[in-house]
Amino acid sequence: MWWLQASILILLAVSVLCEDQTLDPNAPTACNNFYEYVCEKPLDVGYPRLKAVLWSQNNLSNEIDQYQDYVFHPQQKLRFWDVANADVISKWLVQFDTNDNGVKWKEHTLRHEEFLTFEGPEKREALEKIFENYNLLKFQVITRFYKSLKKSVEHLEDLHVPVSSHNHYYHGIFDEIVDIHISQIRSESKYNEEQKNYLIDRVKKVKIIFPYLEYNNITVWRQAKTAYEKEYYRLNAVINETRLHPDVVDKMIRVLAVNQAMEIFEKYITTFTPRFVFQHVVSAATRHSFNYQDEIHLSIFTVFNPKTNPNAVYDRILYVMCHELLHVHYNVDPPPFETEIWDREKQCIHDRLDYYANAYKNESDWSLAQFSYEDSANVSGLRLMLLYLAQMTSDSNQIRENIENVVTRFCHKTQRKAAAHNPLDVSLNVAVSQMPTFNSLYNCTPGDRMYVARDKYCKALNMDIDVNDYLTQKVEKDDLFVLTQFMDVLENTADELDAANITTIEYEKFDVTVTNVEEEEEALEGSAESSESSLESKESSEEEGGDLEDDLKEAESLASLSSSFSFKFIVILVFSIYLL
């Protein structure tokens, strides 16, 4: 009966394996719903990161640090407008409003430009009306600058990162991405040379900053924090205003105090515009990444924290870089030329959004077109990332892991909507389905929901799509071995031809040039090893959780189901063999 027991155990092992692989026949597949397919997978423990600042409505969190030397004894009290500069308040109010609603940054700027044409009394009246109408939520916007500044000082104290104004590692990656994109425009775009040069010049002018990794001198940040606090309490001590409500006065004082801190930052961070430096300070302690008029802020430690596990979040940082870079083309601005072409490409994105958006069409506020520039940046950004990765690996499994790791960051079970973006599942399904190699990576065929035929891909920047450009290009050691063998054959053949003095029909000798490839092979091997080791040393990581309002919901790294299946199967099988 021993053989019967063993057979039963073997059958049990096989059934467990089959059962695990078909737990739910209705489970989403990569070719049916890629977002659900990735987000349904079991999640591993996340990686710790810095805690992002919260725009809390707690009054205690709005308090500004006060120290003994902040006590002022003015000789006389003054009315608010005897002390305050209305132009300064309006200037920084533009940036607060932009931080709250960046889509309308032009409207905020135009308001300030019109404001500067007013006479003094008209300016004061206009500002008073603005701040009188500020509700609690708008007040929280005013507190963001100081809150992020204070939290940033705490983060820099904890990080102990080397003082730097330029992080060569991340800038090196970004520069490579920029070069690939420029090459892509030059070789693939059908725009004329003048138009292509315009696009390329825009790309070349893009700047990027990595919070806490550069311009991170904690002494400067402390000085700016102290300058804000001193100005806030000095103005409170000097001003005695009876006509205006105290809350209105307090809000305007908070805005005025920004000027003292910004004077310090503008002298320190000189390679960026003052408006961007303001947004950088406000967002440094958040999970926000953005492109503000071709200046990019990319949060690292509050979203990914590369100090814990660099490889775990490398793909996600890479994707955000590509996405924000592509906003140089896709934003709220009108097309620079050939409007008909841009509109046709935009309409293709709209059609794909509509295709995946059935679950949202019954909602009254559904408008897929409003934020489609984000989806255009998703599609083109993901393609740019693929071009970069194709030069880094020859392993299709690695590419799949890269893409799934990117999507995992945006997994959220319930709340899939975010401000100024289309729903996560809709937007990401559109992006991955537009990857030129998606069908081959996941074996999708016509009739599958995620399948897109080659001639149906949405074009971008008037470029044709050659799938071969997105295939893995990296030369591995095995490829080098085959190349060496092939070159040896050519070399031997050349020697034989030369010895036989074989001629062509025209009675001319073959011009055979024999290249010694041993040195080239060694150089390529060294390059391949160096490339692999550099990938393994990437400094980036992530922890669980996150606030969707601050950034799209962070998910954890993917665990492999197949490993658990194999483990069960092997254990039972080994036990069965033992009984045999």
Side-chain angles (χ1 to χ4, degrees):
M1 295 296 292
W2 60 270
W3 58 268
L4 180 60
Q5 293 175 334
S7 299
I8 292 173
L9 286 172
I10 292 175
L11 289 173
L12 178 61
V14 174
S15 66
V16 168
L17 179 61
C18 295
E19 179 185 359
D20 280 343
Q21 290 181 328
T22 59
L23 285 175
D24 183 2
N26 298 318
T29 66
C31 295
N32 176 44
N33 188 328
F34 190 78
Y35 180 87
E36 297 292 353
Y37 164 77
V38 171
C39 297
E40 289 272 328
K41 289 189 175 185
L43 302 175
D44 202 354
V45 177
Y47 300 101
R49 63 186 175 193
L50 295 182
K51 186 175 181 180
V53 65
L54 299 177
W55 308 138
S56 172
Q57 295 183 11
N58 184 349
N59 290 333
L60 293 178
S61 68
N62 297 327
E63 292 183 355
I64 296 171
D65 289 347
Q66 184 174 15
Y67 300 96
Q68 190 170 356
D69 59 341
Y70 293 178
V71 178
F72 298 93
H73 302 285
Q75 294 182 352
Q76 62 175 336
K77 296 281 188 174
L78 300 172
R79 302 287 297 274
F80 179 80
W81 290 117
D82 292 335
V83 178
N85 186 322
D87 291 348
V88 171
I89 297 176
S90 179
K91 170 187 174 181
W92 295 121
L93 187 60
V94 170
Q95 299 310 320
F96 278 114
D97 288 340
T98 298
N99 184 264
D100 184 45
N101 188 354
V103 175
K104 296 183 177 181
W105 73 271
K106 282 189 175 181
E107 295 179 25
H108 308 320
T109 302
L110 289 174
R111 179 201 60 76
H112 176 62
E113 292 175 354
E114 182 183 6
F115 175 88
L116 293 177
T117 65
F118 296 165
E119 296 296 331
E122 192 178 2
K123 287 180 179 180
R124 294 191 286 270
E125 182 180 355
L127 287 175
E128 289 172 10
K129 286 182 178 179
I130 290 174
F131 285 97
E132 285 172 357
N133 293 327
Y134 264 26
N135 56 24
L136 185 58
L137 290 177
K138 292 293 287 185
F139 172 67
Q140 291 300 321
V141 174
I142 300 278
T143 67
R144 289 179 181 179
F145 184 91
Y146 178 75
K147 285 181 179 178
S148 183
L149 176 56
K150 179 180 178 180
K151 179 63 75 172
S152 293
V153 171
E154 296 173 4
H155 286 335
L156 289 171
E157 289 173 345
D158 295 336
L159 284 171
H160 300 292
V161 290
V163 174
S164 172
S165 60
H166 186 87
N167 183 274
H168 293 280
Y169 173 72
Y170 285 113
H171 276 281
I173 296 175
F174 184 73
D175 291 344
E176 289 178 7
I177 293 171
V178 168
D179 290 341
I180 291 173
H181 186 46
I182 290 174
S183 176
Q184 185 185 27
I185 295 173
R186 286 196 190 281
S187 60
E188 304 297 335
S189 178
K190 292 183 178 180
Y191 286 128
N192 62 43
E193 288 303 311
E194 182 181 354
Q195 292 168 335
K196 287 196 286 188
N197 287 335
Y198 172 86
L199 296 175
I200 290 171
D201 288 343
R202 285 286 304 273
V203 173
K204 288 180 177 180
K205 291 177 181 177
V206 173
K207 301 175 183 178
I208 191 168
I209 193 170
F210 302 97
Y212 305 152
L213 285 172
E214 46 198 17
Y215 295 108
N216 55 2
N217 189 329
I218 191 172
T219 301
V220 176
W221 286 75
R222 283 196 185 114
Q223 289 173 349
K225 175 176 177 287
T226 299
Y228 181 99
E229 293 162 350
K230 283 187 174 181
E231 181 67 358
Y232 175 81
Y233 286 108
R234 184 189 74 81
L235 290 173
N236 271 284
V238 170
I239 293 172
N240 180 24
E241 180 59 61
T242 57
R243 185 177 64 84
L244 298 174
H245 192 282
D247 288 345
V248 173
V249 174
D250 180 72
K251 292 168 189 174
M252 290 195 284
I253 288 177
R254 287 174 186 264
V255 176
L256 277 170
V258 167
N259 204 55
Q260 297 299 313
M262 281 299 300
E263 285 182 356
I264 294 173
F265 279 122
E266 287 177 38
K267 293 177 182 177
Y268 179 48
I269 309 177
T270 58
T271 56
F272 293 85
T273 60
R275 67 185 181 191
F276 178 81
V277 174
F278 175 96
Q279 301 298 341
H280 168 63
V281 174
V282 173
S283 302
T286 72
R287 299 190 185 100
H288 291 163
S289 293
F290 54 85
N291 182 327
Y292 183 23
Q293 289 299 287
D294 301 341
E295 294 178 302
I296 297 174
H297 169 105
L298 199 156
S299 294
I300 296 290
F301 288 101
T302 53
V303 177
F304 307 110
N305 193 357
K307 295 180 70 174
T308 306
N309 188 333
N311 290 332
V313 295
Y314 168 71
D315 307 320
R316 303 173 189 186
I317 294 175
L318 183 63
Y319 171 71
V320 176
M321 280 188 189
C322 293
H323 173 92
E324 298 301 341
L325 174 63
L326 266 296
H327 272 309
V328 72
H329 309 300
Y330 305 112
N331 45 59
V332 297
D333 297 336
F337 45 74
E338 302 285 4
T339 302
E340 183 179 345
I341 295 175
W342 289 78
D343 288 346
R344 186 164 59 244
E345 293 176 353
K346 184 191 294 185
Q347 186 59 50
C348 182
I349 297 295
H350 289 181
D351 292 343
R352 300 313 300 170
L353 288 168
D354 185 71
Y355 179 74
Y356 292 109
N358 287 331
Y360 300 93
K361 289 182 179 179
N362 293 328
E363 299 183 11
S364 58
D365 61 345
W366 169 247
S367 176
L368 58 88
Q370 185 178 4
F371 305 118
S372 64
Y373 56 85
E374 290 288 350
D375 299 287
S376 295
N378 280 343
V379 170
S380 293
L382 195 55
R383 287 175 182 170
L384 180 57
M385 176 181 170
L386 277 178
L387 286 175
Y388 179 84
L389 291 174
Q391 300 179 17
M392 306 296 289
T393 182
S394 61
D395 185 359
S396 295
N397 290 327
Q398 181 63 51
I399 296 293
R400 279 192 289 268
E401 183 178 333
N402 296 140
I403 300 305
E404 292 180 17
N405 200 16
V406 167
V407 174
T408 301
R409 173 179 174 243
F410 302 103
C411 287
H412 198 284
K413 292 296 183 183
T414 54
Q415 179 57 274
R416 293 177 178 177
K417 290 187 177 181
H421 291 76
N422 282 316
L424 297 174
D425 51 338
V426 175
S427 188
L428 289 166
N429 276 338
V430 169
V432 295
S433 68
Q434 288 292 317
M435 289 165 36
T437 55
F438 180 79
N439 293 334
S440 59
L441 284 172
Y442 290 94
N443 298 318
C444 299
T445 57
D448 291 332
R449 186 165 174 261
M450 296 294 297
Y451 177 86
V452 178
R454 289 191 179 190
D455 61 342
K456 298 297 183 182
Y457 288 131
C458 294
K459 292 185 178 182
L461 304 181
N462 204 17
M463 294 189 290
D464 287 332
I465 298 174
D466 185 352
V467 176
N468 293 324
D469 292 342
Y470 298 86
L471 300 177
T472 56
Q473 310 290 326
K474 183 181 176 184
V475 179
E476 299 287 356
K477 293 181 180 179
D478 291 343
D479 302 319
L480 291 171
F481 177 77
V482 173
L483 177 63
T484 303
Q485 299 302 310
F486 178 68
M487 292 301 293
D488 286 343
V489 172
L490 289 180
E491 185 174 353
N492 293 335
T493 303
D495 292 339
E496 293 174 2
L497 288 173
D498 186 57
N501 195 26
I502 298 176
T503 60
T504 64
I505 296 177
E506 292 79 18
Y507 301 97
E508 295 178 357
K509 287 187 177 181
F510 282 118
D511 182 13
V512 180
T513 303
V514 180
T515 304
N516 187 346
V517 298
E518 292 182 359
E519 294 181 0
E520 295 182 15
E521 174 194 352
E522 292 174 358
L524 284 171
E525 286 179 346
S527 176
E529 291 171 358
S530 174
S531 179
E532 292 168 0
S533 63
S534 68
L535 275 175
E536 293 171 357
S537 66
K538 308 246 181 259
E539 296 192 359
S540 50
S541 87
E542 180 184 23
E543 70 166 350
E544 279 189 298
D547 187 337
L548 186 62
E549 181 180 347
D550 288 343
D551 190 18
L552 299 177
K553 180 71 180 179
E554 312 300 331
E556 302 78 5
S557 300
L558 293 170
S560 174
L561 276 172
S562 59
S563 61
S564 63
F565 300 156
S566 302
F567 181 74
K568 293 179 183 179
F569 179 78
I570 291 171
V571 169
I572 300 176
L573 188 60
V574 169
F575 184 62
S576 303
I577 294 173
Y578 173 77
L579 290 179
L580 289 173

